[in-house]
Short mmCIF file of all heavy atoms in Angstrom, two decimals:
data_model
loop_
_atom_site.label_atom_id
_atom_site.label_comp_id
_atom_site.label_asym_id
_atom_site.label_seq_id
_atom_site.Cartn_x
_atom_site.Cartn_y
_atom_site.Cartn_z
N PRO V 139 29.24 -117.89 -27.87
CA PRO V 139 29.51 -119.10 -26.89
C PRO V 139 29.38 -118.82 -25.42
O PRO V 139 29.19 -119.72 -24.57
CB PRO V 139 31.05 -119.40 -27.24
CG PRO V 139 31.45 -118.06 -27.81
CD PRO V 139 30.40 -117.42 -28.48
N GLU V 140 29.58 -117.49 -25.15
CA GLU V 140 29.43 -117.07 -23.73
C GLU V 140 27.99 -117.06 -23.25
O GLU V 140 27.82 -116.87 -21.93
CB GLU V 140 30.24 -115.77 -23.41
CG GLU V 140 29.58 -114.63 -23.99
CD GLU V 140 29.63 -114.38 -25.47
OE1 GLU V 140 30.39 -115.27 -26.16
OE2 GLU V 140 29.20 -113.42 -25.99
N GLU V 141 27.07 -116.93 -24.08
CA GLU V 141 25.72 -116.84 -23.72
C GLU V 141 25.20 -118.21 -23.25
O GLU V 141 25.68 -119.17 -23.56
CB GLU V 141 24.82 -116.27 -24.86
CG GLU V 141 25.27 -114.83 -25.29
CD GLU V 141 24.99 -113.81 -24.32
OE1 GLU V 141 24.14 -114.01 -23.44
OE2 GLU V 141 25.79 -112.78 -24.40
N GLU V 142 23.99 -118.14 -22.71
CA GLU V 142 23.34 -119.41 -22.23
C GLU V 142 22.50 -119.95 -23.29
O GLU V 142 21.31 -119.98 -23.42
CB GLU V 142 22.45 -119.24 -21.08
CG GLU V 142 23.25 -118.71 -19.73
CD GLU V 142 22.32 -118.58 -18.45
OE1 GLU V 142 21.21 -118.91 -18.67
OE2 GLU V 142 22.88 -118.23 -17.50
N ILE V 143 23.28 -120.41 -24.27
CA ILE V 143 22.66 -121.00 -25.59
C ILE V 143 23.02 -122.53 -25.53
O ILE V 143 24.12 -122.95 -25.33
CB ILE V 143 23.23 -120.47 -26.73
CG1 ILE V 143 22.84 -119.00 -26.78
CG2 ILE V 143 22.58 -121.21 -27.98
CD1 ILE V 143 23.41 -118.19 -28.06
N ASP V 144 21.93 -123.35 -25.66
CA ASP V 144 22.23 -124.79 -25.56
C ASP V 144 23.22 -125.18 -26.67
O ASP V 144 23.39 -124.68 -27.77
CB ASP V 144 20.97 -125.58 -25.92
CG ASP V 144 19.85 -125.36 -24.69
OD1 ASP V 144 20.38 -125.12 -23.62
OD2 ASP V 144 18.75 -125.48 -25.05
N ALA V 145 24.09 -126.09 -26.43
CA ALA V 145 25.07 -126.63 -27.38
C ALA V 145 24.35 -127.29 -28.48
O ALA V 145 23.16 -127.75 -28.39
CB ALA V 145 26.01 -127.61 -26.65
N LEU V 146 24.99 -127.32 -29.62
CA LEU V 146 24.37 -127.74 -30.90
C LEU V 146 24.15 -129.26 -30.69
O LEU V 146 24.92 -130.09 -30.29
CB LEU V 146 25.43 -127.52 -31.98
CG LEU V 146 25.06 -128.23 -33.40
CD1 LEU V 146 23.73 -127.50 -33.92
CD2 LEU V 146 26.11 -128.05 -34.32
N ASP V 147 22.81 -129.50 -30.93
CA ASP V 147 22.40 -130.89 -30.69
C ASP V 147 22.82 -131.73 -32.04
O ASP V 147 22.16 -131.46 -33.10
CB ASP V 147 20.83 -131.05 -30.62
CG ASP V 147 20.31 -132.49 -30.32
OD1 ASP V 147 21.12 -133.32 -30.67
OD2 ASP V 147 19.22 -132.56 -29.94
N ARG V 148 23.89 -132.43 -31.89
CA ARG V 148 24.52 -133.16 -33.03
C ARG V 148 23.45 -134.15 -33.75
O ARG V 148 23.39 -134.18 -34.89
CB ARG V 148 25.90 -133.94 -32.66
CG ARG V 148 26.95 -132.93 -32.51
CD ARG V 148 28.27 -133.68 -32.40
NE ARG V 148 29.32 -132.79 -32.36
CZ ARG V 148 29.90 -132.15 -31.19
NH1 ARG V 148 29.25 -132.61 -30.08
NH2 ARG V 148 30.89 -131.40 -31.24
N GLU V 149 22.64 -134.78 -32.94
CA GLU V 149 21.89 -135.72 -33.54
C GLU V 149 20.54 -134.97 -34.26
O GLU V 149 20.22 -135.40 -35.35
CB GLU V 149 21.16 -136.63 -32.36
CG GLU V 149 20.46 -137.93 -32.99
CD GLU V 149 21.35 -138.69 -33.92
OE1 GLU V 149 22.63 -138.88 -33.39
OE2 GLU V 149 20.98 -139.27 -34.91
N ASN V 150 20.18 -133.91 -33.64
CA ASN V 150 19.19 -133.16 -34.35
C ASN V 150 19.78 -132.54 -35.76
O ASN V 150 19.23 -132.41 -36.77
CB ASN V 150 18.71 -131.87 -33.54
CG ASN V 150 17.75 -131.02 -34.21
OD1 ASN V 150 16.94 -131.51 -34.97
ND2 ASN V 150 17.73 -129.80 -33.79
N ALA V 151 21.07 -131.95 -35.58
CA ALA V 151 21.66 -131.47 -36.69
C ALA V 151 22.01 -132.52 -37.85
O ALA V 151 21.71 -132.30 -39.03
CB ALA V 151 23.07 -130.76 -36.28
N ARG V 152 22.26 -133.69 -37.38
CA ARG V 152 22.58 -134.93 -38.31
C ARG V 152 21.27 -135.10 -39.05
O ARG V 152 21.15 -135.43 -40.22
CB ARG V 152 23.07 -136.09 -37.54
CG ARG V 152 23.65 -137.17 -38.48
CD ARG V 152 24.18 -138.35 -37.70
NE ARG V 152 25.22 -137.90 -36.75
CZ ARG V 152 26.56 -137.71 -37.00
NH1 ARG V 152 26.90 -137.91 -38.31
NH2 ARG V 152 27.23 -137.40 -36.07
N THR V 153 20.13 -135.20 -38.34
CA THR V 153 18.79 -135.59 -38.92
C THR V 153 18.39 -134.46 -39.96
O THR V 153 17.92 -134.67 -41.04
CB THR V 153 17.73 -135.51 -37.79
OG1 THR V 153 18.09 -136.67 -36.97
CG2 THR V 153 16.23 -135.83 -38.54
N ARG V 154 18.64 -133.24 -39.61
CA ARG V 154 18.32 -131.96 -40.51
C ARG V 154 19.21 -132.15 -41.70
O ARG V 154 18.73 -131.94 -42.85
CB ARG V 154 18.54 -130.61 -39.81
CG ARG V 154 17.60 -130.27 -38.73
CD ARG V 154 18.03 -129.09 -38.00
NE ARG V 154 17.11 -128.69 -37.03
CZ ARG V 154 16.25 -127.55 -37.01
NH1 ARG V 154 16.27 -126.82 -38.20
NH2 ARG V 154 15.46 -127.31 -36.16
N LEU V 155 20.46 -132.35 -41.41
CA LEU V 155 21.37 -132.51 -42.71
C LEU V 155 20.99 -133.68 -43.64
O LEU V 155 21.08 -133.53 -44.92
CB LEU V 155 22.88 -132.75 -42.15
CG LEU V 155 24.00 -132.58 -43.20
CD1 LEU V 155 23.95 -131.31 -43.90
CD2 LEU V 155 25.32 -132.91 -42.42
N ALA V 156 20.54 -134.77 -43.02
CA ALA V 156 20.15 -135.94 -43.90
C ALA V 156 18.88 -135.60 -44.76
O ALA V 156 18.88 -135.88 -45.97
CB ALA V 156 19.84 -137.11 -42.93
N GLN V 157 18.05 -134.79 -44.10
CA GLN V 157 16.78 -134.43 -44.85
C GLN V 157 17.25 -133.46 -45.92
O GLN V 157 16.59 -133.54 -47.06
CB GLN V 157 15.88 -133.73 -43.95
CG GLN V 157 15.20 -134.72 -42.92
CD GLN V 157 14.23 -133.94 -41.82
OE1 GLN V 157 14.51 -132.74 -41.67
NE2 GLN V 157 13.58 -134.75 -41.16
N LEU V 158 18.14 -132.54 -45.59
CA LEU V 158 18.63 -131.58 -46.70
C LEU V 158 19.35 -132.32 -47.87
O LEU V 158 19.10 -132.06 -49.03
CB LEU V 158 19.69 -130.63 -46.08
CG LEU V 158 19.17 -129.23 -45.68
CD1 LEU V 158 20.22 -128.54 -44.89
CD2 LEU V 158 18.75 -128.52 -46.96
N ARG V 159 20.18 -133.28 -47.54
CA ARG V 159 20.89 -134.00 -48.70
C ARG V 159 19.95 -134.84 -49.51
O ARG V 159 19.97 -134.82 -50.62
CB ARG V 159 21.91 -134.90 -47.99
CG ARG V 159 23.05 -134.26 -47.28
CD ARG V 159 24.22 -135.23 -47.00
NE ARG V 159 24.70 -135.86 -48.08
CZ ARG V 159 25.65 -136.94 -48.12
NH1 ARG V 159 26.05 -137.31 -46.91
NH2 ARG V 159 26.10 -137.46 -49.14
N ALA V 160 18.92 -135.41 -48.84
CA ALA V 160 17.95 -136.12 -49.61
C ALA V 160 17.14 -135.18 -50.53
O ALA V 160 16.82 -135.44 -51.56
CB ALA V 160 16.90 -136.92 -48.66
N GLY V 161 16.73 -134.01 -49.99
CA GLY V 161 16.03 -133.00 -50.77
C GLY V 161 16.87 -132.55 -51.94
O GLY V 161 16.41 -132.28 -53.14
N VAL V 162 18.18 -132.26 -51.78
CA VAL V 162 19.00 -131.82 -52.83
C VAL V 162 19.15 -133.02 -53.88
O VAL V 162 19.06 -132.68 -55.22
CB VAL V 162 20.38 -131.34 -52.32
CG1 VAL V 162 21.33 -131.19 -53.43
CG2 VAL V 162 20.20 -130.00 -51.47
N ASP V 163 19.30 -134.22 -53.40
CA ASP V 163 19.50 -135.27 -54.44
C ASP V 163 18.17 -135.44 -55.22
O ASP V 163 18.27 -135.71 -56.41
CB ASP V 163 19.73 -136.53 -53.63
CG ASP V 163 21.23 -136.64 -53.04
OD1 ASP V 163 21.96 -135.80 -53.47
OD2 ASP V 163 21.40 -137.40 -52.12
N GLU V 164 16.96 -135.26 -54.60
CA GLU V 164 15.79 -135.38 -55.28
C GLU V 164 15.63 -134.34 -56.36
O GLU V 164 15.26 -134.56 -57.50
CB GLU V 164 14.61 -135.38 -54.40
CG GLU V 164 13.25 -135.56 -55.15
CD GLU V 164 11.97 -135.45 -54.13
OE1 GLU V 164 12.19 -135.31 -52.91
OE2 GLU V 164 10.93 -135.58 -54.69
N ALA V 165 15.91 -133.07 -56.00
CA ALA V 165 15.85 -132.06 -56.93
C ALA V 165 16.83 -132.13 -58.08
O ALA V 165 16.60 -131.93 -59.22
CB ALA V 165 16.27 -130.67 -56.17
N LEU V 166 17.97 -132.74 -57.75
CA LEU V 166 19.04 -132.98 -58.85
C LEU V 166 18.48 -133.91 -59.81
O LEU V 166 18.63 -133.84 -61.04
CB LEU V 166 20.36 -133.35 -58.20
CG LEU V 166 21.49 -133.74 -59.22
CD1 LEU V 166 21.80 -132.44 -60.06
CD2 LEU V 166 22.77 -134.12 -58.40
N GLU V 167 17.77 -135.05 -59.30
CA GLU V 167 17.46 -136.06 -60.15
C GLU V 167 16.22 -135.58 -61.02
O GLU V 167 16.18 -135.75 -62.22
CB GLU V 167 16.94 -137.28 -59.36
CG GLU V 167 16.28 -138.38 -60.03
CD GLU V 167 17.27 -139.13 -61.12
OE1 GLU V 167 18.47 -139.00 -60.84
OE2 GLU V 167 16.72 -139.54 -62.17
N ARG V 168 15.35 -134.71 -60.42
CA ARG V 168 14.29 -134.29 -61.13
C ARG V 168 14.83 -133.27 -62.20
O ARG V 168 14.25 -133.23 -63.38
CB ARG V 168 13.40 -133.58 -60.24
CG ARG V 168 12.47 -134.47 -59.40
CD ARG V 168 11.64 -133.70 -58.39
NE ARG V 168 10.61 -133.05 -58.96
CZ ARG V 168 9.69 -132.28 -58.30
NH1 ARG V 168 9.75 -132.07 -56.95
NH2 ARG V 168 8.65 -131.70 -58.88
N GLY V 169 15.92 -132.53 -61.90
CA GLY V 169 16.45 -131.72 -62.94
C GLY V 169 17.13 -132.37 -64.03
O GLY V 169 17.07 -131.95 -65.21
N ARG V 170 17.82 -133.41 -63.73
CA ARG V 170 18.53 -134.33 -64.79
C ARG V 170 17.49 -134.77 -65.72
O ARG V 170 17.68 -134.80 -66.97
CB ARG V 170 19.26 -135.38 -64.07
CG ARG V 170 20.69 -134.81 -63.60
CD ARG V 170 21.32 -135.95 -62.87
NE ARG V 170 22.65 -135.60 -62.33
CZ ARG V 170 23.35 -136.08 -61.39
NH1 ARG V 170 22.90 -137.20 -60.79
NH2 ARG V 170 24.49 -135.62 -61.06
N ARG V 171 16.30 -135.29 -65.15
CA ARG V 171 15.26 -135.84 -66.15
C ARG V 171 14.75 -134.77 -66.92
O ARG V 171 14.41 -134.99 -68.11
CB ARG V 171 14.14 -136.44 -65.18
CG ARG V 171 14.55 -137.63 -64.52
CD ARG V 171 13.29 -138.50 -64.15
NE ARG V 171 12.36 -137.80 -63.43
CZ ARG V 171 12.15 -137.78 -62.16
NH1 ARG V 171 13.01 -138.44 -61.40
NH2 ARG V 171 11.34 -136.98 -61.44
N GLY V 172 14.58 -133.64 -66.56
CA GLY V 172 13.98 -132.49 -67.19
C GLY V 172 14.94 -131.83 -68.26
O GLY V 172 14.59 -131.31 -69.16
N SER V 173 16.25 -131.91 -67.86
CA SER V 173 17.20 -131.29 -68.78
C SER V 173 17.11 -131.84 -70.17
O SER V 173 17.57 -131.09 -71.11
CB SER V 173 18.61 -131.41 -68.13
OG SER V 173 19.11 -132.74 -68.18
N VAL V 174 16.81 -133.03 -70.40
CA VAL V 174 16.70 -133.61 -71.67
C VAL V 174 15.61 -132.94 -72.47
O VAL V 174 15.66 -133.08 -73.85
CB VAL V 174 16.57 -135.16 -71.57
CG1 VAL V 174 15.29 -135.60 -71.18
CG2 VAL V 174 16.96 -135.78 -72.98
N LEU V 175 14.69 -132.43 -71.95
CA LEU V 175 13.54 -131.81 -72.66
C LEU V 175 14.16 -130.46 -73.28
O LEU V 175 13.60 -130.04 -74.27
CB LEU V 175 12.45 -131.48 -71.58
CG LEU V 175 11.70 -132.61 -71.07
CD1 LEU V 175 10.67 -132.16 -69.95
CD2 LEU V 175 10.92 -133.41 -72.18
N ARG V 176 15.15 -129.93 -72.74
CA ARG V 176 15.70 -128.64 -73.42
C ARG V 176 16.55 -128.94 -74.55
O ARG V 176 16.36 -128.50 -75.53
CB ARG V 176 16.50 -127.91 -72.31
CG ARG V 176 15.77 -127.30 -71.15
CD ARG V 176 16.73 -126.36 -70.39
NE ARG V 176 17.03 -125.26 -71.20
CZ ARG V 176 18.30 -125.01 -71.61
NH1 ARG V 176 19.18 -125.86 -71.43
NH2 ARG V 176 18.69 -124.01 -72.39
N THR V 177 17.58 -129.82 -74.35
CA THR V 177 18.51 -130.07 -75.33
C THR V 177 18.11 -131.25 -76.27
O THR V 177 18.61 -131.35 -77.41
CB THR V 177 19.79 -130.46 -74.68
OG1 THR V 177 19.68 -131.66 -73.83
CG2 THR V 177 20.26 -129.41 -73.69
#
C-alpha cells in the first residue's frame, strides 16, 4: 500500500469478475450435461 501502485480499479475488477462468473457458470452447465454420460 505504501508503494506508488494505482488503487484497484473497481469497475475493471467488476468486469473481470463478471467474466469469471460467466465462465464458471458455462463450465458447470457443460459439466452437468456431460455427467449424465457417465452415470
Side-chain angles (χ1 to χ4, degrees):
E140 71 282 358
E141 301 292 335
E142 294 184 2
I143 298 176
D144 292 337
L146 178 63
D147 183 343
R148 284 193 176 85
E149 195 57 41
N150 181 32
R152 196 179 302 278
T153 301
R154 288 172 180 256
L155 189 59
Q157 292 173 344
L158 259 172
R159 292 188 64 186
V162 169
D163 289 345
E164 181 184 357
L166 180 58
E167 178 59 29
R168 292 172 69 181
R170 282 174 176 159
R171 289 201 306 267
S173 66
V174 73
L175 294 174
R176 291 191 65 252
T177 60

